[in-house]
Amino acid sequence: RQGDMRRYEVPCPRAGCGRYQELAFSQIKWKGGSDADPSEVYRDAWYECQYCRGRIENHEKLDMVRRGVWVPEGQQVAAANCHMTKLPDGQMEAEDGRPKLIGEPKVKGGSHRSYRISALYAVNLPWGYVPQRFLRAGGMTKEIVNGDLGEPWHNKGERVEVSTVRQLAVPVQHGGYRSIPPGGRLPGAILAMVGAVDVQLDRAYVSVHGFTECGKESWLLWWDCQPCPSSTSSDAITKLIGKLSVLRWRALVRPGGVGGAGGVGGVGGLGGVAEDKAPTMPLEVARWAIDSGDQTLDVYAAVLGTANWFASKGMPGTFGRPYDLGYLKIDTDSAKTSRQMKYRQLLGKQVRYLRVGTHFYKELLMARFRVGGGETNGQKGKWSNGQMEAEMGGGLEEAGAGGVGGGVKFVQKLPVDVTDEVLKQVTAEEMKPAGGGRTGMVWAKRPGMKDNHYLDTYVMAHALADASGVGELTAGLVAARRGAGVVARVPAARADEPASRGGGERPAPAWLE
């Protein structure tokens, strides 16, 4: 891209055409489509001229490549050079013996030459070589796009548009739902809830997510922006936690089946009773995550002694898995040097702690937003030149909220009344090259985007759900516990609990007894 970006163009051998063109995968044709036999495609595929639509066979490739010419970006082969005559030895020749380029190069003055070329030009390989690899892989892969076609690979999970995510909000008449504020009645499919809070200077962004059996579905139930004036009240976070901890929703005593807002039956069934008339019981949010990256010590102080709150911190990498749930011993310099006694008293204590591999969860959530929004499943990509899009075969198979494991297809759901502000924030970031001499990719705010707080709550909530074993959540267990009048709780933290060393917290039996 820093050079003159030359492409190799070859002439069409059909009489009356002769137009020069860069070979493109989209012009290779074969019979049978995606169900074709790869071996037959390797042998029988042909190339179709993008101008005259003429069929070009394998034995004609060598002559085309011999007569090809390098064309810098911004230029093209003059049409006058495209009138070809057949020479006695079977080779093609332009009238003046040398193709003429017209137009102005895109990059001028002292630029170096740069080139791109693909395996489609390999004269010892038939047209069907790349299509055979495409079919055997079940679709387009990064190895084919980069290695065979010489094109940049663009992950579709790198950016998601608001319009795409909004397609997850299915109309109520088609099985969708509306947001459910505290005190509202949960659909029978919802078995447990996980919440997350992103703390800012004077406010806090909150979201609550419901999960169905085995974590197969994640429903955004409720969101809010709560005042949290840390500049005027050092106990603001403590008060916020206390306020959120008492929130309750109404859940069916005998939860229904999985798969929709009106789902009934399932384990235990409702005995023919309509879901909206079935008996309910109060249900709390099973676990909460609150971001500790900003007001760290205030969050630690507020979380200590709570039964189901975890201080959370996003990390760029992973720890063998994309989360680490356990306990953190408070031994920070800010606590040691603080003049406030309440912070010095934190030293040596242990706080419930969730470390999150943010890169993993953001990439995963973006992919799910795209899949649910009607775009293709699985490992997908788009070539940067926009020639074509292709998808890998199979579906997006995940387990739980974050996909640690496999075998369960995950569904992301949004309420029909989800606001544009929420959608703007969950799509506010994109993956970019790290820059600054660093290698790799990083997540950063898109140009013009200001807030990403609801994206952060999404990441924390789904990581906490995974770390809590949402993939093991069963309707039978929940029905038995609710029938006994038991609300999902977690034991209070103990000061003598060992700090986590990467192994994670001991799993709570019976999903958060």
Side-chain angles (χ1 to χ4, degrees):
R1 289 177 175 171
Q2 295 175 1
D4 60 5
M5 297 181 285
R6 297 179 177 226
R7 61 193 182 275
Y8 197 69
E9 295 194 1
V10 296
C12 171
R14 297 283 71 81
C17 182
R19 297 288 298 275
Y20 279 76
Q21 57 204 279
E22 182 181 20
L23 296 180
F25 179 79
S26 58
Q27 295 304 116
I28 300 180
K29 310 298 180 181
W30 65 88
K31 295 180 180 179
S34 59
D35 296 325
D37 185 322
S39 298
E40 294 181 1
V41 170
Y42 181 84
R43 182 185 67 245
D44 300 332
W46 69 94
Y47 193 89
E48 183 179 272
C49 174
Q50 70 182 66
Y51 297 106
C52 72
R53 305 301 180 189
R55 177 166 173 155
I56 304 173
E57 303 293 350
N58 286 314
H59 68 271
E60 299 177 284
K61 183 194 287 193
L62 177 59
D63 289 336
M64 296 170 64
V65 174
R66 281 176 174 171
R67 304 312 310 160
V69 59
W70 287 106
V71 183
E73 189 76 11
Q75 291 190 291
Q76 61 187 30
V77 178
N81 292 285
C82 297
H83 300 290
M84 311 297 291
T85 58
K86 192 76 171 179
L87 296 183
D89 62 358
Q91 294 191 21
M92 307 300 296
E93 184 72 68
E95 287 183 347
D96 64 356
R98 182 183 179 86
K100 179 181 179 181
L101 303 182
I102 59 175
E104 294 293 329
K106 187 175 181 180
V107 181
K108 305 178 185 179
S111 171
H112 63 272
R113 296 183 178 185
S114 60
Y115 306 85
R116 69 167 181 251
I117 199 164
S118 73
L120 301 180
Y121 292 87
V123 296
N124 63 321
L125 296 175
W127 297 121
Y129 169 72
V130 177
Q132 180 192 56
R133 286 169 51 77
F134 170 82
L135 292 171
R136 286 180 173 173
M140 196 57 69
T141 67
K142 182 176 181 179
E143 289 72 21
I144 296 174
V145 173
N146 283 163
D148 294 328
L149 301 178
E151 292 286 354
W153 173 261
H154 175 76
N155 285 323
K156 294 187 76 173
E158 291 177 1
R159 173 186 284 197
V160 181
E161 304 301 332
V162 168
S163 58
T164 297
V165 183
R166 184 164 285 285
Q167 295 180 54
L168 293 166
V170 179
V172 174
Q173 60 268 30
H174 295 144
Y177 68 105
R178 294 186 179 277
S179 58
I180 307 171
R185 189 187 190 97
L186 296 174
I190 302 298
L191 303 183
M193 296 178 292
V194 173
V197 181
D198 185 41
V199 179
Q200 298 301 303
L201 182 64
D202 60 351
R203 70 194 68 183
Y205 293 82
V206 184
S207 66
V208 174
H209 305 257
F211 293 92
T212 63
E213 187 171 39
C214 299
K216 293 178 183 178
E217 298 178 355
S218 167
W219 300 45
L220 176 60
L221 299 176
W222 178 69
W223 63 92
D224 195 17
C225 182
Q226 298 269 347
C228 189
S230 57
S231 59
T232 58
S233 173
S234 60
D235 297 324
I237 297 177
T238 300
K239 292 178 180 178
L240 176 64
I241 287 179
K243 181 179 179 180
L244 296 176
S245 295
V246 299
L247 297 181
R248 298 291 185 272
W249 280 254
R250 290 184 297 143
L252 291 178
V253 173
R254 303 177 72 183
V258 177
V264 294
V267 178
L270 296 176
V273 178
E275 183 175 293
D276 59 353
K277 296 182 179 179
T280 62
M281 66 178 296
L283 184 68
E284 68 181 82
V285 175
R287 278 180 169 172
W288 288 91
I290 180 169
D291 177 49
S292 62
D294 186 13
Q295 302 176 47
T296 304
L297 293 180
D298 285 320
V299 170
Y300 288 170
V303 167
L304 280 172
T306 62
N308 57 350
W309 283 80
F310 289 78
S312 178
K313 182 69 169 68
M315 304 290 183
T318 59
F319 334 102
R321 53 185 177 182
Y323 58 79
D324 179 29
L325 187 68
Y327 294 86
L328 176 72
K329 185 177 181 179
I330 302 175
D331 187 23
T332 65
D333 291 337
S334 55
K336 292 177 181 178
T337 59
S338 176
R339 296 182 179 181
Q340 298 190 41
M341 179 60 68
K342 71 170 186 175
Y343 293 144
R344 293 203 301 271
Q345 289 177 343
L346 296 176
L347 287 172
K349 294 185 178 180
Q350 299 187 90
V351 62
R352 287 178 174 269
Y353 197 68
L354 171 69
R355 291 197 301 169
V356 181
T358 53
H359 186 95
F360 173 88
Y361 277 101
K362 287 178 181 179
E363 187 170 14
L364 184 65
L365 284 168
M366 295 302 167
R368 286 173 173 170
F369 288 148
R370 284 191 176 278
V371 171
E375 298 194 24
T376 53
N377 290 353
Q379 296 290 334
K380 308 162 292 294
K382 179 177 180 178
W383 306 1
S384 63
N385 66 1
Q387 285 184 345
M388 66 170 293
E389 291 187 0
E391 66 177 71
M392 295 263 318
L396 180 66
E397 295 187 351
E398 318 280 348
V404 181
V408 179
K409 186 175 181 179
F410 183 91
V411 177
Q412 183 75 60
K413 293 197 172 188
L414 289 175
V416 69
D417 55 346
V418 63
T419 65
D420 286 342
E421 180 61 25
V422 171
L423 298 185
K424 286 179 181 178
Q425 291 198 26
V426 299
T427 59
E429 294 189 16
E430 63 182 353
M431 198 189 301
K432 298 180 178 179
R438 297 175 297 164
T439 60
M441 305 290 286
V442 297
W443 285 92
K445 289 182 182 178
R446 297 165 57 175
M449 294 294 186
K450 180 181 178 182
D451 296 326
N452 59 351
H453 311 302
Y454 284 122
L455 173 60
D456 290 341
T457 65
Y458 248 97
V459 167
M460 285 186 284
H462 286 75
L464 181 57
D466 278 339
S468 302
V470 72
E472 301 173 3
L473 184 65
T474 66
L477 172 63
V478 171
R481 292 176 60 78
R482 291 184 186 175
V486 180
V487 177
R489 300 180 185 280
V490 291
R494 302 199 312 270
D496 59 347
E497 288 277 9
S500 169
R501 287 180 169 81
E505 186 186 51
R506 294 188 302 274
W511 212 79
L512 308 185
E513 289 184 326

